[in-house]
Structures are given as structure tokens and as C-alpha cells.
Amino acid sequence: MYFATKETHPPAWQKPFDKDKKTVVILGSGWAATSMLKNMDTEDFNVVLVSPRNYFLFTPLLPSVAVGTLEARSIIQSTRYVARHKERRVSIYEAEALKVDPHNKQVTIADLSDIKGDVNNMTIPYDILVYAVGAETQTFGIPGVKEHSCFLKELPDAEKLRERVMDCIESAAFPDQSEAEVDRLMHMIVVGGGPTGVEFSGELHDFIKDDLRSWYPELADKLKITLVEALPNVLPMFSRELIQYTESTFKEQNIEVLTKTMVKEVKDKVVVVKNDKGQIEELPYGLLVWAAGNVSRPITRDLMAQLPQHQTNRRGLLVDDYLRLLGVNDVYAIGDCTATSYAPTAQVATQQGRYLARLLGQLAKKEELEKKLADLRGERSGLPEGPEGKAKNNAEEIESVVKQLNKASKIRPFHYSHQGSLAYIGSDKAIADLPFFNGNFASGGVATFLFWRSAYVSSLFSLRNRTLVMSDWLKVKLFGR
């Protein structure tokens, strides 16, 4: 009880802005930005965070929200919760970053919410910019995707998806509906065979098995799930045996997996695909979920256009080994907005945020020691020579500061440590691909499902999130969704 109270009640007083310290502006509130803010020592900087949402979202559990396994509030944590536990006050603006001017060190932001005040846009100057705006869903320019699909990237997407699933079921239950129309409405198509698409398919199957059969027995057997993937197999980041295990599990669950199948167009009631035989066919659907990768946001593309000689990768921003943006000083880029050799995962973004917090702290300490050394050397020049007295003490202090400075100047590049990959595949089964000595340990089944749950619970942001998620799981087990 003591620790719970301490965690939920921040300190009553925080240090105010210090005009003598540098201002760090953080764009974003996702995995990378939140990880950095959580681990950052705000004693060294004035910190401003700008994001269109005022909370951190635990995205791996988003598919569970879409079918009602978890409540939305269980997987979010207020950004101000993090900020209020820092030593120095952090300014948080719920706004969209519209433009970054790296040459004049300015960021233009605007309040794009439905309710606006008299002042709803401004330009913020910065000394250091941490660019962590993430990415948006990739549509590949396919006609009809934005108009007719449901995405699964943000919290409103999951809530919309939850409503659409029930709309399809209730419309299918409407009197005098034709058999063909019922089959269409009860056909749920998921495009994208990555972890998001696979986990949503598994969660949707659980909803059918555990709840739909009780409340809609006449429709339960009609609901069909189809997973569409352009690559030769789903979950390409997992080992071959786990891919085969997932596909065989989906076959047992009557989830149809269409690999080597490309979406060509999405219409109001059908999706046009090119199958593995090269033939064009139309698949009627009631609900289409699009989970097919990431693409850079417009503000990121604009930033890249301002640095054409250095930013040459269309996938995202190029950074050096210290996460500094190529082509400009005092800008760091982390998370899904970057184009690195690492996969755009929460695990990578979290480690990048943690590293950058340490890096900026080290740079602040280095500057402080350099200033102290300059002051000491200035004092020494005015002291009399000799082995005794203040001159000797000053020399010893200078030597001590030089040693500390040499240590602070040794900055290590970012190194990603892969902790493994997890995915839920339905029917209380999960798969895990974990590093083990010099190889990998692959596991799948019910025991792995328990490990998957414990790993996610331990990764949740706060005690509040852990308590809410576990209570949601218990409620679903006792009372259904």
C-alpha cells in the first residue's frame, strides 16, 4: 500500500525552469519519447514535451482492446504522471508538431483538437531537439484503403474497431438478411501478417469461441477470419518452426491464411486481391483491418526535404551511431521515424530512449566539468607558485576534474540488445523466440502463453496499469467480454 501510494502521488513541489540551462524539446509520447523522459535527469535541462496525445499507449496489447478483452484505460498512462515525478518541472503541450526548422532551431506546433482557445499555435525555440514522432500506417497508395479500412495503431482505432465488429454482427442478425449478405458481414479480413495482424486474428477467434457462441449461437459458425499477407509466410521475424506452428494453429482455429497475396484495391464491400497464382479475385468482407507496416509522417518527409544531401533514405531519418540526425547539429531522432538496421519495434524504441537519456546526461556533466576546469585554471593563474598552500590544493582539484572529464568524454555508441520476440496466436497459446547463449530458443503453446502474459505485465508502465490489466483478464475469465 505504501509503494502504491508513493507511486500515484507525485511530489508537491518541483524546481522551476532555469534560464541558464539548455532547453530540450521532445516531440512525441510513444515508446521512445516516454522511455527517454522517464530515464532523463531533468536537473540538467529545461524539458518541453509536445504530442497530440497526452498519454503513453502500451501498443502490444491494443488488439486485446479491439475485441473487449481489455479496457482502453488499462493500457494508457498519463504523460503528466511521468512529468510530475521529475525533479524539475516539465512543460507538456497537447499539440501537433507541424514543422521543424533545424537551421533556426525552432518547432512550429498547433492545437488541432476539436476545442481550441484563442491561442492555438506557436513556435518553440530549442537548444536540443529529440525527434520521436513515430510513423503512420503504410497504405502503399492502394485505392480505397483509407476510406474503407480500419487501422490498428492508436487507441481510437481500437475503439472504432471494437464498435465495427459488433456492428457487423448485429447487422448480420437483422431479420430477413440474405444468406450471401450474412456471409459477407461475418467475414473479417486482416491485411498484414506481422505481430499486430496475427494477434488481432487470435483475439478475434477467442471472442468467437468464448462469447459469440453464447450470445449469437446462430451466427457463431458463420464468422470467418482471413489473414492476408504479401510475403511467403506470416511473422517473418520469427523462426521457421514457430511460423509453421502459428499457421497450423490458425488452421485448427479455421483462420484462413492467404500468403503471397497482394491487395490491389479496396471497395465498399469487396477487396480485390492478386492471389499466389497471379489471378485477380474479389473477397467480400464486412470488416477490413489494415495492419500492413509503417510510413513516415508528413512532418518527417518535410524535415528530410530540408536536408537533401544527408537524408537520402525514403524509409525514414538517417542517424549516426549516437542517434544524432545526419546533416544538422543538436537534433536526435529515435523510434519508428528513423531508418536504421533495427526493426521498428517497441523494444528498439525503448532502448533508444533510455540510451539518449543517459547520453544527454553525460553531455551535460561534460559541459559542467569543462566549465569547472576553466574556472579552476583561471583561479590558478592568479595564485603564487609553490608546493604549499592554495596552489597545491588547486592543482590537485584540477587533476581530479581532468580525470572526471576524461571519463565523461568517453561516449559509447548506441547498441541494441535483442530480448526476444513474443506473439499471441489465440486459444490461450503464444509463441516466443528468445535469445539463448549463441542461438535462439523457440517455444509455443499454453506455457508460452503464461510467459507472454507475465512478460507483458512486467513491461507495463506502472502499478496502476498492471493492476487494471490483470483485473480485466480476471473479469473476462469470470464474466466474458
Side-chain angles (χ1 to χ4, degrees):
M1 182 63 71
Y2 167 76
F3 289 108
T5 305
K6 186 177 179 182
E7 184 181 67
T8 54
H9 289 78
W13 183 85
Q14 291 177 296
K15 292 181 181 179
F17 265 40
D18 187 342
K19 63 180 181 180
D20 296 326
K21 295 188 179 294
K22 290 184 176 181
T23 297
V24 175
V25 174
I26 304 172
L27 301 184
S29 60
W31 284 92
T34 304
S35 173
M36 183 194 165
L37 181 61
K38 182 180 180 181
N39 292 279
M40 187 178 185
D41 185 359
T42 55
E43 176 68 24
D44 300 324
F45 302 98
N46 299 314
V47 180
V48 178
L49 186 141
V50 179
S51 176
R53 67 185 192 199
N54 62 357
Y55 56 85
F56 165 75
L57 173 66
F58 192 85
T59 49
L61 289 176
L62 207 53
S64 299
V65 175
V67 297
T69 305
L70 297 177
E71 294 299 326
R73 70 190 186 102
S74 301
I75 63 167
I76 63 174
Q77 183 65 58
S78 170
T79 305
R80 296 183 186 276
Y81 168 87
V82 188
R84 286 289 288 123
H85 283 81
K86 308 306 290 185
E87 187 75 18
R88 188 179 302 281
R89 186 181 305 149
V90 177
S91 294
I92 296 177
Y93 305 141
E94 188 182 71
E96 187 92 32
L98 301 180
K99 186 177 181 64
V100 173
D101 184 348
H103 304 296
N104 295 313
K105 291 191 171 184
Q106 294 178 338
V107 179
T108 302
I109 67 171
D111 179 5
L112 301 182
S113 61
D114 294 334
I115 299 175
K116 300 180 180 66
D118 292 336
V119 179
N120 50 57
N121 63 80
M122 64 183 297
T123 299
I124 304 174
Y126 66 82
D127 296 302
I128 297 172
L129 177 67
V130 178
Y131 192 87
V133 301
E136 57 188 19
T137 305
Q138 171 70 280
T139 63
F140 304 99
I142 298 172
V145 172
K146 289 185 177 180
E147 292 80 6
H148 305 299
S149 300
C150 288
F151 298 141
L152 191 51
K153 195 169 184 66
E154 300 287 348
L155 193 59
D157 297 334
E159 292 173 329
K160 176 184 176 183
L161 195 49
R162 189 169 174 172
E163 185 178 341
R164 291 287 292 272
V165 168
M166 291 309 303
D167 282 348
C168 286
I169 295 169
E170 290 293 354
S171 295
F174 201 79
D176 300 327
Q177 206 75 268
S178 70
E179 195 70 24
E181 186 65 359
V182 169
D183 290 340
R184 180 189 72 80
L185 289 166
M186 297 297 286
H187 189 195
M188 314 287 181
I189 297 178
V190 182
V191 179
T196 301
V198 167
E199 290 191 335
F200 177 73
S201 300
E203 290 279 3
L204 192 57
H205 166 267
D206 289 353
F207 173 63
I208 300 168
K209 183 185 73 172
D210 299 337
D211 299 272
L212 202 63
R213 292 194 189 282
S214 299
W215 307 112
Y216 302 87
E218 72 283 3
L219 293 174
D221 292 331
K222 294 182 180 294
L223 200 148
K224 179 182 177 184
I225 305 169
T226 300
L227 181 62
V228 177
E229 172 56 51
L231 296 177
N233 52 259
V234 299
L235 299 174
M237 69 290 296
F238 284 81
S239 61
R240 185 63 202 166
E241 58 261 36
L242 289 180
I243 293 171
Q244 292 173 346
Y245 178 76
T246 300
E247 291 177 346
S248 65
T249 301
F250 275 10
K251 188 174 181 180
E252 293 172 7
Q253 296 172 168
N254 294 319
I255 298 175
E256 186 179 10
V257 179
L258 302 178
T259 55
K260 299 180 182 177
T261 302
M262 298 180 64
V263 176
K264 309 302 286 186
E265 184 182 359
V266 179
K267 299 180 181 179
D268 184 28
K269 296 183 179 181
V270 296
V271 55
V272 181
V273 300
K274 184 178 181 181
N275 61 26
D276 56 347
K277 298 177 182 178
Q279 301 171 335
I280 300 295
E281 61 177 312
E282 293 188 345
L283 305 176
Y285 70 89
L287 175 70
L288 180 67
V289 181
W290 192 270
N294 298 329
V295 67
S296 298
R297 297 186 184 276
I299 185 177
T300 304
R301 295 195 292 271
D302 177 73
L303 179 57
M304 292 166 65
Q306 296 181 61
L307 307 166
Q309 293 183 338
H310 299 88
Q311 297 299 323
T312 55
N313 194 320
R314 294 177 61 187
R315 288 196 303 114
L317 297 169
L318 293 174
V319 296
D320 65 11
D321 293 339
Y322 304 92
L323 305 181
R324 293 175 299 204
L325 186 67
L326 297 185
V328 67
N329 295 323
D330 299 320
V331 178
Y332 296 84
I334 52 178
D336 292 356
C337 61
T338 60
T340 64
S341 58
Y342 311 115
T345 63
Q347 198 175 146
V348 173
T350 300
Q351 292 186 30
Q352 287 179 333
R354 196 181 301 132
Y355 166 83
L356 189 53
R358 289 197 307 267
L359 175 65
L360 293 184
Q362 192 172 346
L363 292 175
K365 185 178 180 181
K366 180 172 174 283
E367 287 185 11
E368 182 183 340
L369 289 171
E370 287 172 344
K371 184 179 178 182
K372 184 177 181 180
L373 184 61
D375 292 342
L376 288 172
R377 283 174 173 166
E379 289 177 10
R380 180 170 175 78
S381 64
L383 293 173
E385 293 294 330
E388 303 296 334
K390 294 183 178 179
K392 182 180 178 180
N393 293 335
N394 184 271
E396 290 175 351
E397 193 171 357
I398 287 175
E399 185 180 356
S400 174
V401 171
V402 168
K403 287 181 180 179
Q404 294 178 56
L405 184 57
N406 289 336
K407 185 178 180 181
S409 299
K410 295 177 182 178
I411 300 174
R412 296 180 180 179
F414 172 72
H415 173 71
Y416 170 61
S417 175
H418 184 58
Q419 303 300 311
S421 301
L422 299 168
Y424 179 64
I425 57 174
S427 297
D428 291 346
K429 295 179 182 178
I431 56 173
D433 206 348
L434 307 172
F436 188 73
F437 291 103
N438 294 325
N440 273 29
F441 173 74
S443 172
V446 176
T448 309
F449 163 70
L450 297 175
F451 173 75
W452 172 83
R453 279 200 164 178
S454 63
Y456 275 14
V457 166
S458 64
S459 301
L460 285 164
F461 197 87
S462 67
L463 177 64
R464 168 189 169 275
N465 290 133
R466 297 184 191 101
T467 304
L468 289 175
V469 165
M470 288 190 290
S471 63
D472 284 348
W473 282 336
L474 179 62
K475 285 187 290 185
V476 166
K477 201 70 178 175
L478 294 175
F479 309 113
R481 289 169 179 80

